[in-house]
């Protein structure tokens, strides 16, 4: 993890991290940006989030937007119609059930439309500075298995296995480190093992091509 931290210094941050830094860890914007980020390129997520937040920055103002308008603002993120529906429903629930604030527990967060454990964990880590959560997305799942830290087939399983496998002090950092590494070096197909700072310590499990 220390080697990755040093190597990452010159690499671009993931979109949700950038938004978190730019917006002073605003829980609402982190939540919405994470919803938009699923299966979408980082640059597209960042641009779509910026357009949406320029029009509405709070659950109350965003809940008043029409679904078609949200679609128009977030296009071309993948599944933009579903995501627009979730964004609107999520804002309405935040207003109706949580007084216009993003809740700070995993149990409450996963009751919001479109919010699963990945999004909830990332909101808790970035917005509420939780030290007790690990956020597992496709990069974290893939690289943890390549490194042999876990042997799992599903991200949910990986999250639970990582709580056992990884020293607690690294839990909040795993997502940032492995997402950044996954976008730049340990890519899904053809990972750049020759440029990887941890190649000597990586068993490269399941990697067929460099
Ligand atoms: S050595 Fe290759 S498989 Fe292992 S972490 Fe680095 S890029 Fe990924």
């Amino acid at each position: 993890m220390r080697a990755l931290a040093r190597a990452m210094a010159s690499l671009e941050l993931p979109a949700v991290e950038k938004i978190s830094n730019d917006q002073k860890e605003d829980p609402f914007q982190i939540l919405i940006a994470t919803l938009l980020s699923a299966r979408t390129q980082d640059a597209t997520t960042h641009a779509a989030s910026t357009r949406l937040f320029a029009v509405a920055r709070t659950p109350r103002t965003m809940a008043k937007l029409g679904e078609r308008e949200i679609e128009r603002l977030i296009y071309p993120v993948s599944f933009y119609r579903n995501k627009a529906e979730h964004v609107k429903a999520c804002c309405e629930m935040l207003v109706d059930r949580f007084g216009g604030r993003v809740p700070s527990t995993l149990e409450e967060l996963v009751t919001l439309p479109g919010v699963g454990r990945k999004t909830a964990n990332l909101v808790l880590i970035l917005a509420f500075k939780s030290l007790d959560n690990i956020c597992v997305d496709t990069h974290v799942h893939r690289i943890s298995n390549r490194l042999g830290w876990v042997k799992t087939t599903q991200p949910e399983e990986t999250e639970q296995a990582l709580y056992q496998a990884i020293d607690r002090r690294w839990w909040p950092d795993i997502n940032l480190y492995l997402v950044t590494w996954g976008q730049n070096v340990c890519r899904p197909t053809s990972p750049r093992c020759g440029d990887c700072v941890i190649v000597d310590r990586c068993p490269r499990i399941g990697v067929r091509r460099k």
Side-chain angles (χ1 to χ4, degrees):
M1 294 293 275
R2 281 196 209 92
L4 287 180
R6 281 193 296 275
M8 274 170 32
S10 59
L11 299 175
E12 190 135 342
L13 286 175
V16 179
E17 293 277 343
K18 269 193 227 159
I19 288 161
S20 171
N21 290 347
D22 294 349
Q23 304 305 328
K24 301 187 171 47
E25 291 122 18
D26 176 81
F28 177 63
Q29 295 194 31
I30 291 169
L31 171 66
I32 298 300
T34 309
L35 279 179
L36 299 185
S37 71
R39 294 173 184 245
T40 299
Q41 296 282 335
D42 254 31
T44 308
T45 300
H46 193 263
S49 304
T50 305
R51 282 194 300 276
L52 183 59
F53 298 144
V55 175
R57 306 179 79 82
T58 66
R60 284 182 207 287
T61 51
M62 205 173 282
K64 287 181 185 149
L65 299 178
E67 233 173 86
R68 294 289 91 76
E69 187 172 6
I70 298 174
E71 281 178 17
R72 183 181 60 77
L73 290 163
I74 66 175
Y75 182 84
V77 299
S78 57
F79 309 111
Y80 65 94
R81 288 203 176 98
N82 280 347
K83 287 179 181 174
E85 191 183 327
H86 284 151
V87 165
K88 184 161 174 68
C90 189
C91 291
E92 287 170 350
M93 190 183 277
L94 288 175
V95 172
D96 294 343
R97 198 181 290 174
F98 296 104
R101 305 178 78 87
V102 175
S104 59
T105 68
L106 187 99
E107 292 72 24
E108 290 172 310
L109 282 163
V110 294
T111 65
L112 295 166
V115 175
R117 289 190 69 91
K118 184 195 84 167
T119 300
N121 279 322
L122 197 58
V123 170
L124 291 172
I125 292 166
L126 294 180
F128 296 107
K129 301 294 160 210
S130 169
L131 303 177
D132 300 326
N133 298 78
I134 296 176
C135 172
V136 175
D137 74 343
T138 177
H139 295 292
V140 176
H141 173 63
R142 180 181 72 255
I143 300 174
S144 298
N145 275 281
R146 283 178 175 174
L147 284 163
W149 290 350
V150 300
K151 191 174 177 190
T152 53
T153 54
Q154 298 297 325
E156 295 74 22
E157 206 188 333
T158 303
E159 183 193 336
Q160 299 310 321
L162 283 172
Y163 288 125
Q164 306 300 319
I166 300 295
D167 191 301
R168 195 179 180 97
R169 73 189 147 141
W170 296 112
W171 290 3
D173 299 320
I174 290 175
N175 184 269
L176 170 62
Y177 289 17
L178 297 195
V179 171
T180 306
W181 211 240
Q183 288 174 342
N184 292 278
V185 182
C186 193
R187 298 180 301 209
T189 52
S190 304
R192 295 166 49 204
C193 300
D195 297 326
C196 183
V197 291
I198 52 174
V199 67
D200 294 344
R201 281 164 274 183
C202 180
R204 301 174 58 238
I205 294 168
V207 175
R208 290 189 189 86
R209 287 190 293 164
K210 279 193 192 179

